[in-house]
Amino acid sequence: MIYQHGGIALNLFRLKAIKKQVTGRDGYLIFEFHNMVRVSETSHNSNVWEENSYENAPVTQYYDNLADLELYYEEWVNTWSLWTEYVVNLEMPIDFEPNSL
């Protein structure tokens, strides 16, 4: 599911971690993702298939104000927590709208 907030759109199914990196009075919000796994044929027409794992690059967002970084970090963690709770408990309503969390 793609969720957008604060100018960032992310696939919450692939999200692995949300981090903040403080660099004084500013900092970065960092989103890490699970590796992409792709099944591919070992050679042309070999009919032998293998799984390959490819690392997804993190997404970073710079904030020149530490208060904004803290605010967006908390909002994203809360959104991710709610989303995870819906998925784990299979309680996602039929009329669920992605940006209504």
Side-chain angles (χ1 to χ4, degrees):
M1 180 199 81
I2 305 297
Y3 183 82
Q4 61 180 345
H5 175 69
I8 302 170
L10 301 174
N11 183 343
L12 295 180
F13 279 119
R14 312 288 298 152
L15 190 58
K16 178 172 69 174
I18 302 172
K19 299 178 180 180
K20 58 184 170 182
Q21 181 180 36
V22 177
T23 57
R25 297 182 186 185
D26 58 357
Y28 294 88
L29 192 54
I30 303 167
F31 300 90
E32 293 182 354
F33 301 91
H34 292 285
N35 291 353
M36 179 182 77
V37 176
R38 184 175 180 179
V39 178
S40 56
E41 200 168 10
T42 56
S43 61
H44 185 64
N45 291 328
S46 70
N47 207 24
V48 177
W49 299 83
E50 66 182 10
E51 286 186 352
N52 294 298
S53 178
Y54 301 95
E55 187 174 352
N56 285 316
V59 171
T60 61
Q61 177 69 37
Y62 173 74
Y63 292 93
D64 60 2
N65 182 318
L66 199 53
D68 288 342
L69 173 61
E70 293 292 338
L71 175 70
Y72 279 106
Y73 174 79
E74 291 300 325
E75 288 178 354
W76 272 106
V77 168
N78 287 335
T79 297
W80 191 29
S81 296
L82 287 172
W83 168 249
T84 303
E85 197 173 305
Y86 282 134
V87 171
V88 168
N89 295 326
L90 300 174
E91 294 178 354
M92 188 175 301
I94 300 299
D95 59 347
F96 178 79
E97 293 182 24
N99 286 325
S100 66
L101 289 178

